[in-house]
Amino acid sequence: MSTAVVVGSGPNGLAAAAVLAKAGVQVTVVEAGPTLGGGAQSRELTLPGLVHDDSSGFHPLALGSAFAAELDLAGAGLEWRWPDVQFSHPLDGGGGAALWRSVARTADGLGADGRAWSRVFGPLAERFDTIAPEFLQPVLHVPRHPVHLARFGAYAGLPATWLARAWSTEPGRALFAGAAAHAFRPLGTLASSAIGVALTTAAHAFGWPVAAGGTGAITDAVLQRATEHGVRFETGRRVVDVRDLGEPDLVLLDTAPAAAADILGDRLPARVGRAYRRYRHGPGAFKVDYAVEGGVPWTHEPSRGAGTLHLGGSFEEVAATEREVTRGRMPERPFVLVGQQYVADPSRSVGDVHPLYAYAHVPAGFTGDATEAVTAQIERFAPGFRERIRAVHVRSTADLARNNANYVGGDIVTGANDAVQLVFRPRVAVDPYATGVPGVYLCSAATPPGAGAHGMCGYHAARSALDHLASGR
């Protein structure tokens, strides 16, 4: 029987392990931390009984993925829950915009911008079941649906500032700004629309669901499948040299590229080592979790039923703050993402006290305390929020990196999403998972298709490794 060791137990490491084991490979997962799951875990961070997601909180691209289908995660107990409003963007003065699953209902709420919203996202949402598999794999492939992909690419390749010209009102432009800001990059750069277009279309086609009981339920489902196929797990063991793993047929590294270079050392071809060490990380996140009594009193009424909120004001303000962050300067009013997972999944709350998830975009390695900045942004759009806070839990960029070595400088998406790395990550290669060391593969979110608890990086890396075994190379 062929053997494999997977280093790291984030969503992609576990996905790779499960796919390999299902194919008959004897797999061991080695994890440096005390628990399995990486960023796909849930904990009681503030008050007993309140369930907070550690990192990944919303999963628009996990539904219908090839990995979820192959492992039948629903059959392993994974359940999804949807809020009424998938995401919203409140504005000063009580206004704002909201996105529903329905393109038509969203367009109705956008008034004069409704027709343009439908024109951009209606056709994409109708075809998203064929479009999503195309970008949830390496870009260098022969597309099965080239016409559909071309329409998506025509929007995705634009700077977000250009695509935003499709909308003339402040709410319409702001609604797109919030989605585009998930890229953690300046909105005026080439292809800065890509992640916003993908996430907005996914919100219409699949919604932005949460896992019932917390994101940790995704890890539990994958662990169940992996265990059923005989995967072994070791925790509390940090791998610093690939030679310490013995001589397995396969090694898959769920690590950042620079860490992979350290582990592989002089076995790594020099050109690959240079590419891995040149790999660029993006801005950081500063995470604040709250216990809130009575929920958040948003002045924008639809935001009270939203699973996710984007706080940053107008499109122009969001663009300005993202530009400042990437230049290493901390804005006074940063872009803040807020998660109200309990709206879709009330089991996370205790009575009328609810867990609230929030993080600000901050410069890489930011050493200050952004707690007040995050709280102030929420208070800006929900006066009276402060009085409802019952407990707070904070994680700085250093805390995030300490708890997950892949989050270099607090970079929770494991790599800068600039135009080059969107297409060629972690390096320019026909097989982006192959390290150049026979039998060794990179499977972290630094590989295509990037961040998220969808497991597709691990899925594709495992497929590449299995092809290697089958060919006898």
Side-chain angles (χ1 to χ4, degrees):
M1 176 181 286
S2 298
T3 59
V5 175
V6 177
V7 178
S9 72
N12 291 303
L14 293 180
V19 171
L20 291 173
K22 186 183 178 189
V25 178
Q26 182 179 318
V27 182
T28 299
V29 175
V30 179
E31 166 59 44
T35 58
L36 303 169
Q41 299 185 59
S42 305
R43 309 174 195 269
E44 296 179 356
L45 297 177
T46 55
L47 296 177
L50 296 188
V51 179
H52 297 267
D53 290 329
D54 261 16
S55 180
S56 178
F58 313 93
H59 313 285
L61 298 176
L63 276 72
S65 72
F67 170 65
E70 176 161 336
L71 271 293
D72 182 22
L73 298 184
L78 179 61
E79 298 180 25
W80 299 106
R81 299 283 184 269
W82 286 263
D84 288 338
V85 175
Q86 303 310 303
F87 64 80
S88 72
H89 195 113
L91 293 166
D92 295 311
L99 186 142
W100 280 267
R101 288 281 296 275
S102 166
V103 174
R105 185 175 181 185
T106 302
D108 286 345
L110 291 176
D113 273 337
R115 180 174 296 180
W117 191 270
S118 296
R119 187 168 57 248
V120 172
F121 294 111
L124 295 180
E126 290 172 2
R127 299 169 176 82
F128 201 60
D129 58 340
T130 61
I131 295 171
E134 300 285 7
F135 68 73
L136 287 175
Q137 63 178 300
V139 171
L140 297 180
H141 71 277
V142 178
R144 296 184 62 186
H145 302 279
V147 175
H148 296 176
L149 183 61
R151 181 164 190 148
F152 172 83
Y155 293 125
L158 295 173
T161 51
W162 289 20
L163 184 54
R165 296 172 187 170
W167 302 288
S168 59
T169 69
E170 187 173 3
R173 290 166 57 80
L175 190 61
F176 179 65
H182 280 255
F184 280 83
R185 60 179 292 204
L187 301 188
T189 54
L190 186 66
S192 55
S193 288
I195 289 175
V197 171
L199 292 178
T200 301
T201 308
H204 284 307
F206 300 145
W208 279 20
V210 300
T215 291
I218 300 174
T219 295
D220 293 342
V222 179
L223 285 174
Q224 179 177 320
R225 291 298 189 231
T227 302
E228 289 170 356
H229 292 297
V231 177
R232 296 177 56 252
F233 302 95
E234 296 181 25
T235 57
R237 179 185 172 193
R238 184 173 298 280
V239 176
V240 297
D241 191 319
V242 69
R243 289 170 290 195
D244 295 338
L245 300 176
E247 296 294 333
D249 298 298
L250 299 171
V251 173
L252 279 83
L253 302 174
D254 185 6
T255 69
D262 289 340
I263 291 169
L264 296 175
D266 57 11
R267 292 192 179 189
L268 194 66
R271 70 184 187 284
V272 180
R274 288 192 296 270
Y276 281 3
R277 296 192 187 282
R278 287 197 305 264
Y279 183 79
R280 297 176 300 283
H281 284 272
F286 188 102
K287 187 166 184 282
V288 185
D289 289 278
Y290 302 88
V292 182
E293 186 169 2
V296 183
W298 305 106
T299 52
H300 177 238
E301 186 67 31
S303 290
R304 299 185 182 189
T308 305
L309 295 93
H310 301 134
L311 310 184
S314 68
F315 183 97
E316 291 73 20
E317 183 180 342
V318 173
T321 57
E322 293 303 279
R323 186 169 56 249
E324 286 295 286
V325 163
T326 56
R327 291 175 176 173
R329 298 194 286 261
M330 180 66 193
E332 181 180 349
R333 299 202 296 191
F335 177 81
V336 173
L337 182 144
V338 173
Q340 298 183 143
Q341 290 94 321
Y342 66 88
V343 170
D345 182 16
S347 70
R348 303 184 185 209
S349 303
V350 175
D352 199 30
V353 180
H354 309 288
L356 193 74
Y357 163 117
Y359 66 78
H361 291 188
V362 300
F366 176 68
T367 58
D369 185 351
T371 307
E372 173 55 27
V374 175
T375 302
Q377 277 289 64
I378 300 175
E379 180 76 18
R380 172 184 174 185
F381 301 104
F385 167 69
R386 292 179 188 276
E387 287 72 30
R388 301 190 180 200
I389 299 171
R390 297 295 171 263
V392 176
H393 180 272
V394 172
R395 279 189 179 171
S396 66
T397 59
D399 295 329
L400 291 168
R402 190 178 305 112
N403 285 304
N404 190 325
N406 289 0
Y407 295 166
V408 176
D411 171 17
I412 60 175
V413 297
T414 316
N417 285 311
D418 58 47
V420 173
Q421 286 192 172
L422 274 175
V423 179
F424 300 110
R425 58 190 300 148
R427 63 190 181 97
V428 179
V430 174
D431 183 351
Y433 310 99
T435 63
V437 180
V440 181
Y441 297 82
L442 192 66
C443 68
S444 69
T447 64
H454 42 62
M456 290 300 293
C457 306
Y459 172 86
H460 289 305
R463 286 290 171 206
S464 181
L466 290 170
D467 288 345
H468 164 85
L469 283 181
S471 68
R473 295 193 302 269

